Amino acid sequence: MKTARAIQLSLTLLLPLLICGCGQDISSVKKAIRGHWVSESGKVNQYFGEGTWIQNDGGREMEFSYTITETNEAMGTLKMSLKNATGAGHEKEIRFSTDRKTMIHTFILGSARVDSKYNYVDTKERP
C-alpha cells in the first residue's frame, strides 16, 4: 500500500516536470534557435539542430552546417554563417520576438537581403 502511494505521489510530482521540460529552451538565443520553424505561408520548414540547418521548401531539401558568429541577448538577435557540403554558403541574421516564438530570418548573399517570418513549431531538429 505504501509503495503504491509512493509511486502515485512520484508520478504526480514528475509529470508536470516532464511536460514542461519538452518545449523550446529560450534561455539564450543560441538555444532558442534549435527546433522546427515554419514560414508564415506554411510552405517552408526549417530545422535547426546542433550546428545543422535543414530547409524543406515544397519537397526540395537543403542541408547546411552553421556556425553562430555573433549574439546579442538584449536585442534577441544572432548571426550565423552557413556552408553546404560543397563549401558554398551564405549568412543569416535572426531577430526573435520577445517570447522567442517568432523570428525574422534575414537571408544574406552578397549585398542581397531577404526577410522572412517564421513561427516556432516544436523541438524536432530533422524532418
Side-chain angles (χ1 to χ4, degrees):
M1 185 69 169
K2 285 185 179 182
T3 304
R5 181 74 177 138
I7 291 172
Q8 181 183 15
L9 181 60
S10 296
L11 289 175
T12 303
L13 295 173
L14 290 176
L15 190 58
L17 291 175
L18 292 173
I19 292 169
C20 293
C22 295
Q24 178 189 27
D25 182 348
I26 61 169
S27 61
S28 72
V29 291
K30 285 183 176 182
K31 291 179 180 180
I33 192 67
R34 304 273 302 265
H36 176 200
W37 297 80
V38 67
S39 65
E40 274 192 312
S41 68
K43 294 180 181 177
V44 181
N45 288 277
Q46 294 190 5
Y47 301 85
F48 288 90
E50 181 67 39
T52 304
W53 172 69
I54 300 168
Q55 178 172 296
N56 188 304
D57 184 359
R60 185 181 61 157
E61 193 169 287
M62 298 180 291
E63 185 166 343
F64 287 75
S65 61
Y66 73 84
T67 304
I68 294 176
T69 57
E70 187 178 319
T71 63
N72 184 326
E73 293 294 335
M75 297 295 292
T77 62
L78 63 82
K79 292 182 181 179
M80 61 176 61
S81 177
L82 297 100
K83 293 206 181 306
N84 66 14
T86 66
H90 61 280
E91 306 295 313
K92 286 187 188 296
E93 292 177 357
I94 308 284
R95 291 184 315 272
F96 289 99
S97 61
T98 318
D99 65 0
R100 298 192 176 165
K101 296 292 185 192
T102 302
M103 69 172 169
I104 302 296
H105 165 279
T106 304
F107 171 84
I108 305 166
L109 188 58
S111 61
R113 298 173 63 89
V114 178
D115 287 346
S116 302
K117 188 173 182 178
Y118 286 82
N119 296 307
Y120 182 78
V121 178
D122 56 40
T123 59
K124 286 176 56 177
E125 295 182 357
R126 299 194 75 76

